[in-house]
Amino acid sequence: MTLSEELTWRGFVNQTTYKDVSVLDGQPITFYLGVDPSASSMTIGNLAMIMMVRHFIESSHKAILLVGGATGMIGDPDGKADERNLKTIEEIATYKTGIVGQYKSLLGDQGFVTVDNYDWFKDIDYLDFLRDVGKHVPMRQMLGREFVQTRLSEAGSGISYAEFSYVLIQAYDFLHLHRELGVNLQVCGADQWGNCIAGVDLIRRVTGDEANVWSAPLVVNKTTGVKFGKSEAGAIWLDANKTSVNDFYQFWLNVDDAGVESYIKIYTLLSKEDVDRTIAEFNSNRSGRVAQKRLAYEVTKLVHGVESADTAKDYAESLQSSNLEETGEEIVVEAGSSIIDALVAIGLATSKSDARQTLAGGGIYINDSQVDRDSFQESDFKDSVLRLRKGKKLQNTRIIKLRG
């Protein structure tokens, strides 16, 4: 399968400036993907783009992965109803380290180069930037952006000069990488199309050269229509400290039937034959959720490694086989109620004194996080459910529901 065929089959085709996409099947192209350090970790939305990058690399194209130390100081206003809160220099430095680390862990020994746009922006003189960049960007083009019109409308919150200028900074990234590293293509999610086109236009106006953009659709939950990767608790992060491995695995295990075929194509490296077999088996018995199970294992393995994926799989199977509802081990509580009482009621402690001793000794876990307090908090519950565990053994896990 050629790269253009692979991208089409996996669902990585949205808009592109290429008139003939078969150009991707020819000579190596130097391309880049950028991520702003707005947090210390990427999400599964970013992961979709990394998976697309991997297919480009495996087809012998040269990848430049940018972490936006400069753009991250402003923040992309596109899609935001209000002005962003600025991150500190220290926060951005920490976030950059986290994102570069994830680039490396996800792509391993695949050939790629990482760059930071702060390295070239920190020495640019403001007046030079206005003359060399601002002079070539028509105001009509910038004012025509949908998010600008929305923010400047009567019902909008307004927009600062800093956020308004964000597109210039990103456009200059493309120009700089084109000049210095021979980058001729930017890949992105559909929401970045306007910013990327600004870079293509700037390169044409300044150098007369042709550059291109390849965008992929945003992944959307086909059942709810909500941007994929959002849960009641927020985004699904790649960092296990922000989304635990078990919660990460459970997220994929619970994805909707309507979208699971799309997700398995985007988020795994399974071959077409393997995907077709999995989906055929899934369609013959959807209650078995074989596609979700395969997806959960493959993505967790990719992000967190084989050992963590095996542990998360065992954990999920132990929860499923425990059949707590039928054995009467499930209880319903209110936020603020006693963990001590729950431990006794559910059989994880023989008495209140035993429960207190175990709790004080660090032996009680809520959703895989060690706790030393004696009452439940509303934030403990995800979709009105939490997992209460005594010690390290998975069989000592019980499901607690929030009274609603």
Side-chain angles (χ1 to χ4, degrees), residues 294-355:
R294 186 72 188 275
L295 172 66
Y297 183 79
E298 293 295 330
V299 184
T300 306
K301 180 176 70 173
L302 235 163
V303 175
H304 297 294
V306 174
E307 186 176 344
S308 292
D310 287 340
T311 300
K313 180 183 177 184
D314 290 344
Y315 186 84
E317 289 175 351
S318 74
L319 290 180
Q320 185 177 15
S321 63
S322 62
N323 204 9
L324 296 176
E325 198 161 43
E326 288 186 15
T327 62
E329 292 175 321
E330 184 183 74
I331 64 171
V332 179
V333 302
E334 296 178 352
S337 60
S338 170
I339 293 176
I340 301 294
D341 291 344
L343 289 168
V344 176
I346 211 163
L348 290 180
T350 57
S351 64
K352 288 188 178 183
S353 61
D354 176 37

Side-chain angles (χ1 to χ4, degrees), residues 70-127:
T71 38
M73 294 178 71
I74 305 300
D76 187 357
D78 199 351
K80 303 296 180 183
D82 299 297
E83 192 84 8
R84 286 175 177 267
N85 293 323
L86 296 178
K87 305 294 183 184
T88 67
I89 300 297
E90 293 73 23
E91 285 176 316
I92 292 171
T94 300
Y95 296 169
K96 286 193 296 186
T97 300
I99 289 170
V100 170
Q102 288 177 343
Y103 279 154
K104 293 177 180 177
S105 67
L106 291 169
L107 293 171
D109 57 0
Q110 301 281 322
F112 64 95
V113 174
T114 59
V115 295
D116 179 357
N117 60 9
Y118 183 74
D119 290 340
W120 53 84
F121 269 105
K122 68 180 188 296
D123 296 323
I124 292 179
D125 179 80
Y126 180 65
L127 291 177

